[in-house]
Amino acid sequence: MAATELRGVVGPGPAAIAAPGGGGAGPPVVGGGGGRGDAGPGSGVASGTVATAAAGGQGPGAGGVATAGPTPAPPAGGSGGSGAGGSGSAREGWLFKWTNYIKGYQRRWFVLSNGLLSYYRSKAEMRHTCRGTINLATANITVEDSCNFIISNGGAQTYHLKASSEVERQRWVTALELAKAKAVKMLAESDESGDEESVSQTDKTELQNTLRTLSSKVEDLSTCNDLIAKHGTALQRSLSELESLKLPAESNEKIKQVNERATLFRITSNAMINACRDFLMLAQTHSKKWQKSLQYERDQRIRLEETLEQLAKQHNHLERAFRGATVLPANTPGSAGSGKDQCCSGKGDMSDEDDENEFFDAPEIITMPENLGHKRTGSNISGASSDISLDEQYKHQLEETKKEKRTRIPYKPNYSLNLWSIMKNCIGKELSKIPMPVNFNEPLSMLQRLTEDLEYHELLDRAAKCENSLEQLCYVAAFTVSSYSTTVFRTSKPFNPLLGETFELDRLEENGYRSLCEQVSHHPPAAAHHAESKNGWTLRQEIKITSKFRGKYLSIMPLGTIHCIFHATGHHYTWKKVTTTVHNIIVGKLWIDQSGEIDIINHKTGDKCNLKFVPYSYFSRDVARKVTGEVTDPSGKVHFALVGTWDEKMDCFKIQPAVGENGGDARQRVHEAEESRVMLWKRNPLPKNAENMYYFSELALTLNAWEGGTAPTDSRLRPDQRLMENGRWDEANAEKQRLEEKQRLSRKKREAEAMKATEDGTPYDPYKALWFERKKDPVTKELTHIYRGEYWECKEKQDWNSCPDIF
């Protein structure tokens, strides 16, 4: 009889039908364990309500009760732990969350329960205020690197999180994936639109469902309690009757013990029912307060985003007003300055349309006065008042370049653009995959920017003449540093080259070298570069650019090895580039910094030069943009010390050997030996009015000048880049979209051909570069693209039949 009545209440369903994560570690927002969908089949009473409680309190029903108690402590290390209820998807612990553009990552207490991830400023805050909750049923979980991962539900909410270690990150990701899988099953019928209002309404529905479910469970437990009391009384009556029988003394003792245990069981059952009832009353009392707190935090976030956007706009307006007020003073005698001061006074000419970069030519300064966009009569780009059109002006420049290298380009127009409207959706993303308007660009491609590394080619010419390998290494080091000198003022990003795009620079007659670049990969972007000189050196490299926008700063990481080979001696040098960081992307004074170390190695002799790019610090008294280095032989003995800045010059000192002194003492004598100081390199001054021409150097001004006989894939022939240089930015944007769509269609066609070949079992050749061949480098053993030859021969014959149609 008792067994039959109990089965009728509990129902036949399995004990594990409850919602995921009901382990007591859940946030107050969702009322602890249980969650939606806890009701089992049959009579509407939760399956497993009694079964799981009897099994040790590890089911969702028990989890709901456990929430009222203290939350469990995280495991050793304090970074996270499992939920109290024992569910595999429940977890809580400390993570670092991206908060805003001022504070960056902040430590927050995260709780995963019932398919919801919530966070608080501290563990104690769980009792009264939830700072945010994301529903995993509609969320995407993306692993970014060893410690970082992203959770997003399609745009309304995105959490950028960082764990304390790779192991801890993997634990969280595993728990999140499990919770998501269970939440998707439980919420298959849910129709969530994703906007702020519907998300809020869904949370209200979830809360109400949870409370209804808990109320139903308490009623079930009350029924079970009545049954337990009824059958417990009957059991005690039967035991009392047994005691009255004439049984052995040992049997009477056993019956008495069973009677006592039945009484204890009934008392415990009553206590459990009372605790459940108290918990439900508490949840109902505070549910409105929790929901109000949640909505308040959401509203605060929206207001913060709007405030930040307004701040960026006001910053832009103030900047323009400041520039307009200083146009006349800038043209008065003594106000323009000269040399470095003149360049610095115009660092801010690039307004917010150039604040986004994905390459190492990243933005710099935006808040200093300049003439761009206000003084237009000199450049004849003021619109209706211009006497010469852009096309006529450019034709005039082409006529000049036939005689000599051009020394100017059309001045940059002053088009406004709301930077925040684009950048707020780019946080944490790979910027090379995000389409950007030409307003952020300079009228050069990445291939042309790579070619700019040769601006100080004379350093390699001098190195080729050195008989001493250590002295040669000093010049190679100076050449390495010189490639960063243009990044100080260049506030715009270069165009992403199209796959198969090339750029040649033939300076064989003037400077003794010629150079060729080709875009050999689109995703990830990779460009191969080969330059050879009749003065006895060859330079080659393959550079892949990766970049990440983090709100406060932009990191640009060039990957790949640079090779320099000297023909006469066979000395083969290799090195890699350092990381470029652009600070204050959205608000504030934009500035750029280089940081890291470069090891230049002579693979023939074993000589080595270590260059250190010192990151800028507000608290340091040292010179900004400082670079130091040491040139050592294979034994590690220092022969030369290098010192300078990556934007101005590099000097070297010869270390004089001292008998009885160690290497450290010898290095201390470097600054005492001024007579041994040699200036290896000094930056060339910028051309006149460079602040109005994207801060291009003399070489950069000539790179996009039209030249006859180049390959049809040459960057000079790229239409959107040419239109932008001529100041026709609206047309350039339209043309840029056309080229990108054409490239997309070509990629899809290649993918379709590859799939068809796979299905047919026929061989398929993937995309191969035209002028470079991918092979293992004999020195570094890396797979890289090396120049295969024939370009200059094809140019001489004007045989471009093998070139693809990319423009």
Side-chain angles (χ1 to χ4, degrees), residues 696-766:
F696 280 179
S697 63
E698 291 183 359
L699 175 62
L701 288 173
T702 68
L703 292 180
N704 208 43
W706 184 86
E707 290 185 12
T710 60
T713 54
D714 196 90
S715 298
R716 298 177 180 89
L717 305 177
R718 180 166 174 164
D720 55 346
Q721 187 172 304
R722 181 65 66 192
L723 286 167
M724 185 204 170
E725 183 181 85
N726 290 345
R728 296 154 63 176
W729 285 14
D730 291 338
E731 298 174 56
N733 276 318
E735 189 65 21
K736 185 172 184 286
Q737 291 181 6
R738 182 190 69 82
L739 291 174
E740 289 173 348
E741 183 60 28
K742 183 176 182 179
Q743 182 170 238
R744 248 179 248 116
L745 293 174
S746 298
R747 186 187 73 248
K748 290 179 180 178
K749 182 181 178 181
R750 288 193 301 271
E751 291 173 351
E753 291 174 353
M755 186 175 297
K756 187 176 184 301
T758 302
E759 293 173 353
D760 298 342
T762 57
Y764 174 77
D765 292 332

Side-chain angles (χ1 to χ4, degrees), residues 16-83:
I17 209 165
V29 173
V30 295
R36 291 164 297 157
D38 283 11
S43 62
V45 184
S47 303
T49 301
V50 175
T52 53
Q58 297 198 4
V65 178
T67 311
T71 55
S79 58
S82 299

Side-chain angles (χ1 to χ4, degrees), residues 452-453 456 459 477-486 646 650 681:
E452 278 193 76
D453 284 358
Y456 299 96
L459 292 171
F479 174 80
T480 302
V481 176
S482 71
S483 64
Y484 295 96
S485 61
T486 59
W646 50 264
M650 285 296 294
W681 160 76

